[in-house]
Amino acid sequence: MKRRIAVAATLAATLLGAAACGSNSDSSDTPNAAASVNGAGKTIKVWLMVDAQSGWPEVVKQANERFTQATGAQVQVDYQQWTDHLAKLDTTLAGNDVPDVVELGNTEMPKYVFNGAFAPLDKGQFENSAQWLTGLSAPCELDGKTYCVPYYAGARVLLYRTDLFDKAGLKAPKTYDELVAAAKTLKEKNGSDKQFSAFYMPGKYWYAAMAWVHGNGGEIAKKDGDKWVGALSEPGAQAGLTKWAEIAKTYSSGDPTKDENDQDAVYAQGKSGMLYGNGWELGAVQEQPKDPNDPASAKVKTKVNGKVATAPLPGIPSFLGGSDVAVTAKSKNADLAAKWAQIFTDAKSQEGLIAKGVLPNATSLLDKAAAVKGNEATAQAAKETWFVPMAPKWSDVESANVLQNMLVSIATGKATVPAAAKDADAKINEILNAS
């Protein structure tokens, strides 16, 4: 989600034009991150996703320490699970005891920005804000105001087993045809193992499937006048879904009803040749927590340690995934919260994230990211990307598992691509246009 990661100008235009029911707070209500705030005796509550706890706890720790040194206030970080964080957030925001800062995925932000859940922020007070990645910043902008701050990004890439590729006489694919040919060869060479996946592809992995859709000229949904229209039944999307289904049904031996949440652990078992994952998953597949129930436990080397490399997935644009942080409109410590967000997303914190294999929040930091071993493919993949429809109710589509259900029906053979797509389009239309 970076660089020129041209999230098409249509994204920003769509977001800014949709302006459904965003907050109308005036500048006097804007938290001041640049102010010298005396927070002695105060504690702000921050909700971060569990990724930070398992992936870069040092970054959180140093940001909290710098914040306390600057303000005298303390930080209570509560880590949230992706599976239930939106329901929990909705319930919490309905009351008065709310977190001061909240992290959300960039695809989840629009709903809350449109609904006025977050306080407006002064964009100029945040480092590198002039170079923020469009895929992270567009969901934060409404009516010329900024309601959240880009945190980090993650472009998805191809992970492949170097030992299996070498043994089969293969090289990292440069074209989509070479990718399919490599999958075919790996399947032939390892066919005696019925658990082997030439290309592991969970059936509910909608970020992957939609990358195939966009790579073939398709879209998930588009704006038609005042309405949103599902576009999965159109030719480009149909071609993408058909190619994705070939990978999932022909070259993956995994459970077609599963999502990608545990694909690191699956790949680490040494039963897969290729995987489509975030750049940071290069490390995750090679070292896993000693205690699966404790992400922060000591890491141990897996069966594929030292045998995995990454490359851009040829012919398939990478998803602009990532997160933003926002100050809640009901925060009783808004200035302190804005100050913490400022520190947590500044260049020093971003450098810590880059070292962990994730992409930073600004184009000006991409060269540093590309210089980190293991990040080269991610930085390259970030140059050709796609993003979800910037519709106010897009997160409701995600919550309703519309795309996941469509993909499972295709992967399991319960429905043809055209039939499954038609049904998904109808549900997308209903949700995105609900009053």
Side-chain angles (χ1 to χ4, degrees):
M1 34 206 63
K2 1 208 94 187
R3 273 22 13 190
R4 335 190 119 217
I5 232 171
V7 152
T10 55
L11 291 184
T14 298
L15 177 64
L16 297 177
C21 50
S23 170
N24 292 315
S25 301
D26 60 37
S27 58
S28 63
D29 297 323
T30 302
N32 188 357
S36 177
V37 184
N38 181 2
K42 295 184 178 181
T43 298
I44 65 167
K45 183 184 295 185
V46 175
W47 279 17
L48 292 179
M49 302 311 299
V50 70
D51 306 73
Q53 182 182 30
S54 60
W56 42 88
E58 305 93 338
V59 176
V60 179
K61 182 174 183 291
Q62 62 86 10
N64 290 347
E65 290 174 346
R66 289 194 288 136
F67 169 78
T68 297
Q69 183 177 23
T71 67
Q74 302 297 314
V75 185
Q76 175 186 327
V77 179
D78 295 327
Y79 291 101
Q80 309 299 315
Q81 300 291 333
W82 288 105
T83 53
D84 64 354
H85 72 295
L86 292 180
K88 184 177 179 180
L89 179 62
D90 289 343
T91 299
T92 302
L93 291 179
N96 293 315
D97 184 15
V98 302
D100 299 289
V101 180
V102 170
E103 172 194 348
L104 287 180
N106 56 336
T107 67
E108 299 168 339
M109 270 294 173
K111 171 183 175 181
Y112 296 90
V113 169
F114 282 114
N115 290 343
F118 302 132
L121 299 167
D122 184 345
K123 181 177 179 179
Q125 295 177 355
F126 294 85
E127 193 169 0
N128 296 315
S129 59
Q131 293 84 38
W132 277 346
L133 304 181
T134 306
L136 297 182
S137 64
C140 297
E141 305 291 336
L142 181 63
D143 294 339
K145 296 181 180 180
T146 299
Y147 291 89
C148 57
V149 184
Y151 166 19
Y152 76 92
R156 285 169 168 78
V157 293
L158 176 71
L159 278 70
Y160 65 96
R161 287 278 299 280
T162 54
D163 57 331
L164 297 182
F165 266 59
D166 290 344
K167 187 176 180 179
L170 298 170
K171 294 183 179 180
K174 300 293 185 181
T175 67
Y176 189 77
D177 287 343
E178 289 181 4
L179 175 75
V180 176
K184 182 178 180 180
T185 298
L186 290 175
K187 183 176 181 179
E188 292 173 348
K189 296 287 185 180
N190 300 275
S192 59
D193 185 350
K194 300 304 179 183
Q195 294 182 316
F196 181 79
S197 292
F199 196 134
Y200 181 71
M201 181 62 69
K204 288 184 178 179
Y205 196 177
W206 70 271
Y207 292 116
M210 295 305 105
W212 261 257
V213 165
H214 283 266
N216 286 273
E219 298 177 83
I220 302 172
K222 57 187 179 182
K223 197 76 179 293
D224 183 8
D226 294 331
K227 297 285 187 180
W228 282 92
V229 179
L232 294 169
S233 295
E234 296 186 358
Q238 293 283 288
L241 286 172
T242 299
K243 289 182 178 180
W244 172 84
E246 178 188 15
I247 296 294
K249 298 170 73 172
T250 306
Y251 300 111
S252 180
S253 298
D255 184 346
T257 66
K258 290 185 64 175
D259 60 26
E260 72 280 11
N261 286 337
D262 68 345
Q263 68 175 11
D264 295 348
V266 172
Y267 195 79
Q269 295 171 6
K271 296 287 188 177
S272 306
M274 293 183 281
L275 179 74
Y276 182 56
N278 287 290
W280 54 262
E281 290 183 271
L282 175 63
V285 300
Q286 298 181 85
E287 292 188 349
Q288 294 281 317
K290 186 175 182 179
D291 180 358
N293 297 314
D294 180 11
S297 66
K299 301 287 180 62
V300 295
K301 293 181 179 180
T302 71
K303 293 180 179 180
V304 302
N305 185 264
K307 303 175 183 178
V308 188
T310 59
L313 190 63
I316 304 297
S318 183
F319 173 69
L320 294 179
S323 283
D324 299 306
V325 293
V327 175
T328 57
K330 291 183 177 180
S331 170
K332 297 179 176 62
N333 301 290
D335 285 349
L336 284 170
K339 184 67 176 180
W340 183 88
Q342 180 190 56
I343 293 172
F344 188 61
T345 60
D346 66 12
K348 182 176 178 62
S349 291
Q350 291 298 305
E351 289 175 2
L353 292 174
I354 289 171
K356 291 297 182 178
V358 297
L359 297 179
N361 64 5
T363 58
S364 54
L365 299 171
L366 185 60
D367 288 343
K368 287 186 177 181
V372 176
K373 185 177 181 180
N375 280 10
E376 302 92 338
T378 307
Q380 180 66 29
K383 296 178 181 179
E384 184 180 0
T385 61
W386 68 276
F387 197 61
V388 299
M390 293 302 296
K393 296 183 181 296
W394 173 255
S395 64
D396 293 339
V397 174
E398 292 191 22
S399 298
N401 294 317
V402 174
L403 299 179
Q404 294 93 322
N405 293 337
M406 173 190 70
L407 297 175
V408 168
S409 67
I410 293 172
T412 58
K414 292 182 178 179
T416 63
V417 168
K422 181 179 180 180
D423 184 58
D425 279 343
K427 291 181 172 64
I428 288 173
N429 294 342
E430 180 183 354
I431 294 173
L432 294 187
N433 297 306
S435 57

